[in-house]
Amino acid sequence: MQTWAKRFTGFGKTPKGALVLTLAVLMTVVFYFSLPKPLFRTPTSFVVVDEAGALLGASIAEDGQWRFPIADTISEKFIECIIAFEDKRFYFHPGIDPLALLRAGWQNTTGRRVVSGGSTISMQVIRMSRNKPRTVWQKCIEAFLAFRLEVSYSKTAILRMYCANAPFGSNVVGLDAASWRYFGRASQQLSWAEAAMLAVLPNAPSLIHPGRNRQLLLAKRNALLDKLSAQGTLDSATAALAKLEPLPDKPRPLPRLAPHLLDRFRKEYRQLGTGTSRLETSLKANLQQQIVDIIDRHHRSLSANGILNAAALVLNVETGNALAYVGNVHTPQNVEAESHVDMITALRSPGSTLKPLLYAAMLTDGLILPHTLIPDIPTQIGGYTPQNYDLGYDGALPASRALSRSLNIPAVKMLQQYKYQRFQPFLRQAGIGTLNRPADFYGLSMILGGCEVTMWQLAGTYASMARTLNHYRRHDGGYSPADYHAPSYQKNTHRPPGDGRDRASLIDHASLYFTFQAMNEVMRPGEEALWEQFTSSKKIAWKTGTSFGFRDGWAIGLTPGHVVCVWVGNADGEGRPGLTGIETAAPILFEIFGLLPHQGWFEVPLDRMVQTAVCRESGHLAGQDCPKPDTIYIPAPGHRSSVCPYHQLVHTNKGGTRRVTADCAAPGDMITTSWFVLPPAMEFYYKSRHANYRELPPFASDCAAHTEDLVMEMIYPKNDARIYIPLEIDGQRGQVIFSAAHRSKGSKIYWHLDETFVGETETFHQLALDVPAGIHRITLVDNTGARISHRFEILTK
């Protein structure tokens, strides 16, 4: 050994030896770097598949070719066919098959024409990657590079490259694209006849031309089937049946089940970092198709009213993954419909869909209890005057009922108490990241849709809320910030599980439960309105929303397993009469829930609740004056809420018909009663809807009324209001409608504008006045001398 080492060292020191070593090193370097990486730089189609690999959609590559990315798996039938047809010693040669080269050379020489070729599959891969003219010199280079290819890649990898880049006629490149274009199915589902036909095409791709070369293509396919039968790959019966299958007539259109998700993937491809233009999504193809059919069916009737767009999104609560993604009605033939716009990512006014989050936030902070009375009276805050959808007023109603009925004025009152400056960052923390302007930009109108959200973020926020409640037991009553996360459309999206050690959360378990319960009590549309009569019907927490001007109709619902979000409207923002969430989006929502499996209802988080006495009439914590309080479960933070302010002790005569005081009645002639008393403005509307409401009796004639009693209240305008008076239809300037409430029936109110008497009212206290621009004061005096005065401003524009 030492002798040979000495000889080699000595040889290297000679000029001839140094030259040989240098050449050897150069050849090694050339051999190593001769193969480019990556081998193929051609653009590929963007492809999206469902969780099981079914094709949802694909786009043509930048160079105009249908070329799918390299697949992870290859059709076993195609492998058998292509090896039998092109390279039967593929698994045994090092990239070059000397026997095939000798055979091809002999046949071509004796036949004086090109009878057969000697290229291996590896050599064909190199030829496809180089795309050079086929000369003898180029074939030599291909042979060298094929050997180099075999050094670096496995046989399976080489087959995958061949299948992804072989030409299959026209602008179809690659097995997967060819399988879908010619047979409408994945390559793994090809029959033997189909696989054999595709195996012979790369050798002569022009044979697939429709209406031409049909017999030659059929003959080549059948010859390959006979060859497979002869070598024992197929039995004779299978081969005979395969030869009876017809050839495809013309290329088929590819599936377009999720065109908007495909476009979204193209835009987000770089930031997703998938490394391939093929996306494995979390969608379910069958569910996607069913929802597309539902959207299309409803669209036919909605379009008669000029409502041209609709979208639906289904999320799995546990993972946050999208199970269906219908970004819009797909009507590319109608340019005006703008059906290319993905409404799932579009910014739209959310209408009332944020109200449940405010309700839950206030429960979590202990500002209200589930059924706390909320005022519902004409309201003006600064220059902002919210209105209920039905333009009516309840006076007051439980917060849960205000949510289920989606009343606007109670929602604004609640936000005024919670503070919109707190609500905006709360929404961002919950997952509504589009509220990126200062809170003052949105103001109180935020709760009525005066902001912009996307379906994607809204549905993700609701899924996070449901997920948090689902994990009540998993985290042993604790919370995990990881439960609040954005949705995903990628299969197997990895999210680290939370440890659940936090003792507080954005929304506590009990508040979530009461919120979902309130949302479950909403009256459903159409036949769904009778759902409670059927024991098999699903419990669904849901909410609708309608934006200002009837531009957006929303419906969002959730169960422990799924969140469904539906939007209906026009992509260009045009409003239409009747475009409301309850009329347009809700029916679609419940049809979609009908497709989803039933998973019961949320577990009651009793450990996060406390039993306490609550006033039956007001929904507040029961005070000492509340008669017959109910002991019920409330969220634990509810202990911080206020004690009932509406019950007070009232002294009356023995008949209860007149109020008395110690100044005018003996103690023995007085009865002390706890009385439910609302402020005059609330009482004015409340008593019209509650026949059992007892008004305070008037004072006895020989008793002086207490001046501290609030007997009269201005409903509109409130103090320091700013009012703009628009022009009427006839072009004349409108009037200001002043409104007040008085606790005593038959009372008279004398109205004064800027110290000038302008009129009087009795029982029903409204007065219409022409008021010039500027700052004014309205003063009211009743027939007992009670007086209120408000300052207001009439704006010029």
Side-chain angles (χ1 to χ4, degrees):
M1 183 66 68
Q2 291 180 352
T3 302
W4 279 104
K6 290 179 180 179
R7 290 181 180 179
F8 182 78
T9 302
F11 177 75
K13 291 180 179 180
T14 64
K16 183 179 180 180
L19 179 62
V20 170
L21 287 176
T22 301
L23 289 174
V25 171
L26 287 175
M27 291 180 65
T28 302
V29 171
V30 169
F31 180 77
Y32 182 81
F33 290 103
S34 61
L35 203 64
K37 290 186 178 182
L39 190 59
F40 291 90
R41 299 180 182 272
T42 49
T44 57
S45 301
F46 284 92
V47 178
V48 291
V49 299
D50 82 339
E51 61 170 5
L55 184 66
L56 297 174
S59 65
I60 201 164
E62 292 179 2
D63 60 355
Q65 306 293 309
W66 288 106
R67 184 188 296 107
F68 287 10
I70 295 178
D72 295 330
T73 58
I74 315 172
S75 167
E76 293 294 335
K77 292 178 181 177
F78 182 80
I79 291 175
E80 294 284 353
C81 291
I82 196 64
I83 289 177
F85 185 75
E86 289 283 3
D87 192 355
K88 63 182 179 181
R89 284 178 289 274
F90 172 73
Y91 287 110
F92 307 104
H93 62 65
I96 308 165
D97 187 352
L99 295 178
L101 291 174
L102 290 173
R103 170 186 51 76
W106 173 257
Q107 291 177 344
N108 295 340
T109 301
T110 57
R112 296 184 179 181
R113 61 184 179 88
V114 178
V115 178
S116 65
S119 296
T120 64
I121 290 177
S122 302
M123 292 173 66
Q124 292 182 53
V125 169
I126 294 298
R127 184 181 73 243
M128 288 185 290
S129 69
R130 287 166 50 81
N131 196 24
K132 298 286 186 179
R134 301 205 66 192
T135 63
V136 174
W137 172 245
Q138 289 298 332
K139 287 186 178 182
C140 292
I141 295 176
E142 289 172 9
F144 171 76
L145 292 178
F147 176 68
R148 173 68 183 85
L149 182 71
E150 295 269 352
V151 172
S152 296
Y153 294 91
S154 66
K155 293 289 186 179
T156 300
I158 293 171
L159 280 173
R160 287 175 58 200
M161 284 189 279
Y162 178 87
C163 290
N165 295 280
F168 285 89
S170 184
N171 64 340
V172 180
V173 177
L175 174 64
D176 286 340
S179 181
W180 280 103
R181 288 289 282 162
Y182 297 133
F183 301 109
R185 63 176 66 93
S187 61
Q188 287 78 12
Q189 300 171 333
L190 293 173
S191 67
W192 279 108
E194 293 164 346
M197 192 213 81
L198 292 179
V200 304
L201 269 184
N203 185 264
S206 61
L207 293 181
I208 196 60
H209 192 285
R212 207 191 300 171
N213 304 322
R214 304 283 290 176
Q215 291 304 316
L216 180 57
L217 177 60
L218 183 65
K220 289 174 74 72
R221 183 202 72 176
N222 290 347
L224 176 55
L225 290 170
D226 289 334
K227 187 174 184 179
L228 291 171
S229 177
Q231 70 184 26
T233 303
L234 299 180
D235 58 62
S236 57
T238 301
L241 288 173
K243 288 194 287 185
L244 296 177
E245 291 187 29
L247 297 176
D249 292 328
K250 58 182 179 180
R252 303 176 181 222
L254 296 181
R256 292 189 64 82
L257 276 180
H260 301 92
L261 181 58
L262 175 63
D263 289 341
R264 180 174 178 178
F265 172 51
R266 292 174 63 181
K267 295 174 184 175
E268 299 179 356
Y269 164 68
R270 300 289 182 189
Q271 63 193 69
L272 288 176
T274 58
T276 174
S277 60
R278 182 179 187 270
L279 176 69
E280 293 185 356
T281 72
S282 55
L283 271 60
K284 297 179 179 291
N286 289 338
L287 180 64
Q288 178 79 6
Q289 180 65 70
Q290 289 174 308
I291 295 177
V292 167
D293 293 341
I294 290 173
I295 292 289
D296 287 344
R297 177 160 39 81
H298 282 269
H299 172 255
R300 286 193 288 273
S301 59
L302 292 170
S303 59
N305 186 29
I307 303 172
L308 304 179
N309 305 102
L313 176 66
V314 180
L315 299 182
N316 177 287
V317 167
E318 181 59 32
T319 62
N321 290 339
L323 304 181
Y325 190 111
V326 183
N328 207 333
V329 178
H330 188 58
T331 55
Q333 68 280 3
N334 184 359
V335 178
E336 293 182 358
E338 298 187 70
S339 65
H340 63 282
V341 179
D342 183 0
M343 301 310 305
I344 290 178
T345 58
L347 288 170
R348 306 296 297 198
S349 165
S352 298
T353 57
L354 301 181
K355 290 177 181 175
L357 282 92
L358 175 61
Y359 179 79
M362 295 188 72
L363 287 175
T364 299
D365 281 6
L367 296 176
I368 60 171
L369 297 183
H371 310 300
T372 296
L373 277 186
I374 306 296
D376 181 25
I377 57 176
T379 299
Q380 186 178 46
I381 304 168
Y384 179 52
T385 306
Q387 296 285 342
N388 291 327
Y389 178 71
D390 60 2
L391 301 180
Y393 308 96
D394 279 61
L397 75 167
S400 59
R401 188 67 180 149
L403 174 60
S404 65
R405 287 179 54 191
S406 195
L407 295 179
N408 290 339
I409 292 175
V412 171
K413 292 285 190 182
M414 291 167 66
L415 184 56
Q416 189 180 23
Q417 180 184 358
Y418 187 78
K419 306 301 181 186
Y420 64 80
Q421 294 88 346
R422 294 179 58 206
F423 192 52
Q424 187 248 12
F426 169 87
L427 291 175
R428 288 181 58 84
Q429 192 175 351
I432 310 295
T434 51
L435 304 182
N436 47 23
R437 294 176 179 265
D440 288 336
F441 175 83
Y442 306 106
L444 293 171
S445 67
M446 184 191 319
I447 197 61
L448 305 184
C451 56
E452 290 184 324
V453 304
T454 67
M455 287 181 66
W456 187 250
Q457 292 185 348
L458 187 65
T461 296
Y462 274 83
S464 296
M465 293 162 63
R467 188 181 307 115
T468 299
L469 187 52
N470 281 345
H471 291 173
Y472 164 66
R473 288 292 182 192
R474 174 186 294 185
H475 297 322
D476 193 25
Y479 301 91
S480 171
D483 286 341
Y484 280 85
H485 59 72
S488 173
Y489 52 78
Q490 288 183 269
K491 181 181 178 181
N492 300 326
T493 300
H494 176 69
R495 295 187 180 92
D499 54 18
R501 294 179 182 176
D502 291 3
R503 304 314 300 173
S505 178
L506 189 66
I507 307 174
D508 70 80
H509 292 132
S511 299
L512 287 169
Y513 182 81
F514 280 108
T515 301
F516 297 158
Q517 280 291 92
M519 294 170 65
N520 179 58
E521 294 171 2
V522 182
M523 181 66 72
R524 301 186 183 184
E527 296 177 358
E528 282 283 345
L530 303 176
W531 72 276
E532 290 176 308
Q533 299 183 19
F534 302 94
T535 56
S536 61
S537 294
K538 301 174 184 176
K539 292 186 70 174
I540 300 169
W542 68 292
K543 185 75 187 71
T544 59
T546 304
S547 67
F548 178 77
F550 302 102
R551 293 179 174 89
D552 306 271
W554 291 85
I556 186 165
L558 59 87
T559 65
H562 302 94
V563 168
V564 177
C565 187
V566 177
W567 174 89
V568 175
N570 287 309
D572 62 3
E574 179 188 359
R576 298 297 302 168
L579 204 173
T580 64
I582 190 68
E583 294 291 337
T584 61
I588 299 174
L589 176 91
F590 284 103
E591 276 201 57
I592 293 174
F593 267 115
L595 304 174
L596 302 174
H598 181 45
Q599 294 184 310
W601 191 239
F602 297 95
E603 180 183 359
V604 183
L606 290 176
D607 292 348
R608 305 297 296 175
M609 299 181 184
V610 292
Q611 277 188 311
T612 192
V614 173
C615 179
R616 182 179 301 175
E617 293 176 287
S618 72
H620 285 268
L621 291 178
Q624 60 181 4
D625 297 332
C626 288
K628 300 179 181 178
D630 294 324
T631 300
I632 61 174
Y633 281 101
I634 63 171
H639 271 309
R640 301 195 295 267
S641 67
S642 59
V643 175
C644 176
Y646 301 124
H647 277 91
Q648 62 187 52
L649 293 180
V650 175
H651 304 295
T652 68
N653 57 19
K654 288 185 177 181
T657 58
R658 289 288 188 271
R659 276 189 287 172
V660 296
T661 66
D663 297 332
C664 61
D669 295 330
M670 295 170 55
I671 297 176
T672 302
T673 307
S674 178
W675 211 285
F676 179 60
V677 183
L678 293 174
M682 292 170 62
E683 179 185 86
F684 177 77
Y685 295 98
Y686 186 86
K687 64 186 180 183
S688 65
R689 295 179 182 259
H690 297 81
N692 60 345
Y693 179 78
R694 296 189 305 156
E695 297 181 62
L696 275 175
F699 278 94
S701 58
D702 54 345
C703 290
H706 284 194
T707 56
E708 65 268 18
D709 283 351
L710 181 62
V711 297
M712 182 170 51
E713 186 176 357
M714 178 70 80
I715 296 176
Y716 183 84
K718 293 297 184 182
N719 201 29
D720 292 326
R722 305 177 72 203
I723 303 170
Y724 171 71
I725 305 176
L727 297 178
E728 303 291 350
I729 296 177
D730 59 3
Q732 299 297 314
R733 190 167 177 269
Q735 295 180 309
V736 181
I737 307 299
F738 294 86
S739 181
H742 200 289
R743 196 180 297 284
S744 300
K745 291 181 179 178
S747 60
K748 288 186 178 181
I749 295 180
Y750 304 95
W751 300 73
H752 301 77
L753 180 64
D754 298 328
E755 305 301 329
T756 300
F757 176 76
V758 290
E760 70 176 73
T761 56
E762 184 175 353
T763 304
F764 186 71
H765 304 291
Q766 277 193 355
L767 196 65
L769 297 175
D770 291 310
V771 185
I775 296 175
H776 303 274
R777 181 170 292 277
I778 187 75
T779 304
L780 286 68
V781 181
D782 73 356
N783 50 357
T784 66
R787 182 179 185 274
I788 57 174
S789 182
H790 281 191
R791 177 183 178 274
F792 64 95
E793 180 182 1
I794 300 296
L795 303 176
T796 57
K797 61 180 180 178

